[in-house]
């Protein structure tokens, strides 16, 4: 990873995890004494720490998760950022596909396969195991979205 990319990621993480900026605190039209602090929206799903250490323990944790969405959140929290994530993500994809494989229409299944192909196309031309990991996580997210849609029907 380049130093610029690492710095940019760290800066974004600091801003989005509560580091905030002075611009959000007050505006030039109000005096600092009357400025109200900016309301921070609650995150859709709070970041979680990986509850397991080691690939085997992580795999068991992913398979034990109650929903596909929970499995994907755990996968993201436990990701190594390398090609090892491909196997873990495939376990999540298999789990999600088992939940929707017989319950969706052919049109929905084609849309799911197209989403999988977009993940592969997005990261397929990039070199490095980090991009293999990102593509695998993207495919797991697509499977979880499809499972969530199938559950609603």
């Amino acid at each position: 990873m380049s130093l610029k990319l690492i710095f940019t990621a760290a800066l974004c993480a600091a801003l989005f995890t509560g580091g905030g900026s002075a611009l959000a605190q007050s505006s030039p039209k109000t005096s600092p004494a009357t400025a109200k602090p900016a309301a921070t929206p609650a995150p859709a799903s709070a970041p979680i720490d990986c509850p397991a250490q080691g690939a085997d323990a992580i795999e068991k944790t992913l398979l034990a998760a109650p929903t596909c969405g929970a499995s994907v959140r755990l996968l993201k929290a436990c990701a190594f950022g390398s090609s090892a994530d491909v196997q873990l993500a495939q376990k999540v994809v298999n789990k999600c596909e088992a939940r929707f494989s017989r319950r969706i229409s052919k049109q929905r299944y084609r849309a799911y396969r197209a989403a999988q192909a977009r993940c592969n196309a997005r990261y397929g031309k990039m070199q490095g195991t980090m991009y293999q990991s990102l593509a695998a996580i993207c495919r797991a997210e697509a499977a979880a979205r499809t499972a969530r849609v199938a559950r609603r029907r």
Side-chain angles (χ1 to χ4, degrees):
M1 232 193 241
S2 72
L3 210 53
K4 185 176 180 181
L5 182 62
I6 293 171
F7 175 74
T8 304
L11 181 63
C12 289
L15 288 174
F16 289 115
T17 57
S21 72
L23 296 175
Q25 298 294 325
S26 65
S27 67
K29 294 178 184 178
T30 60
S31 67
T34 61
K36 295 179 183 176
T40 56
S45 61
I48 57 172
D49 292 328
C50 184
Q53 298 295 322
D56 292 335
I58 292 170
E59 182 179 334
K60 289 177 184 174
T61 305
L62 292 174
L63 294 176
T67 64
C68 293
S71 292
V72 171
R73 284 191 296 277
L74 285 169
L75 175 64
K76 287 179 176 181
C78 298
F80 295 111
S82 68
S83 59
D85 295 336
V86 174
Q87 292 177 340
L88 295 173
Q90 188 59 45
K91 298 287 184 185
V92 174
V93 169
N94 292 343
K95 177 180 180 170
C96 294
E97 283 182 351
R99 294 190 181 207
F100 70 77
S101 63
R102 294 188 181 105
R103 295 177 16 181
I104 61 173
S105 66
K106 288 182 182 181
Q107 182 181 6
R108 176 64 62 189
Y109 186 74
R110 281 194 298 269
Y112 165 64
R113 285 296 177 198
Q116 298 272 324
R118 280 191 302 275
C119 292
N120 292 335
R122 174 187 277 172
Y123 299 108
K125 295 176 185 171
M126 299 178 189
Q127 294 181 350
T129 59
M130 177 180 71
Y131 296 109
Q132 291 176 4
S133 170
L134 291 173
I137 292 171
C138 180
R139 289 189 300 267
E141 288 174 329
R145 276 192 307 271
T146 304
R148 188 173 52 244
V149 169
R151 187 181 68 211
R152 284 189 223 150
R153 294 180 175 216

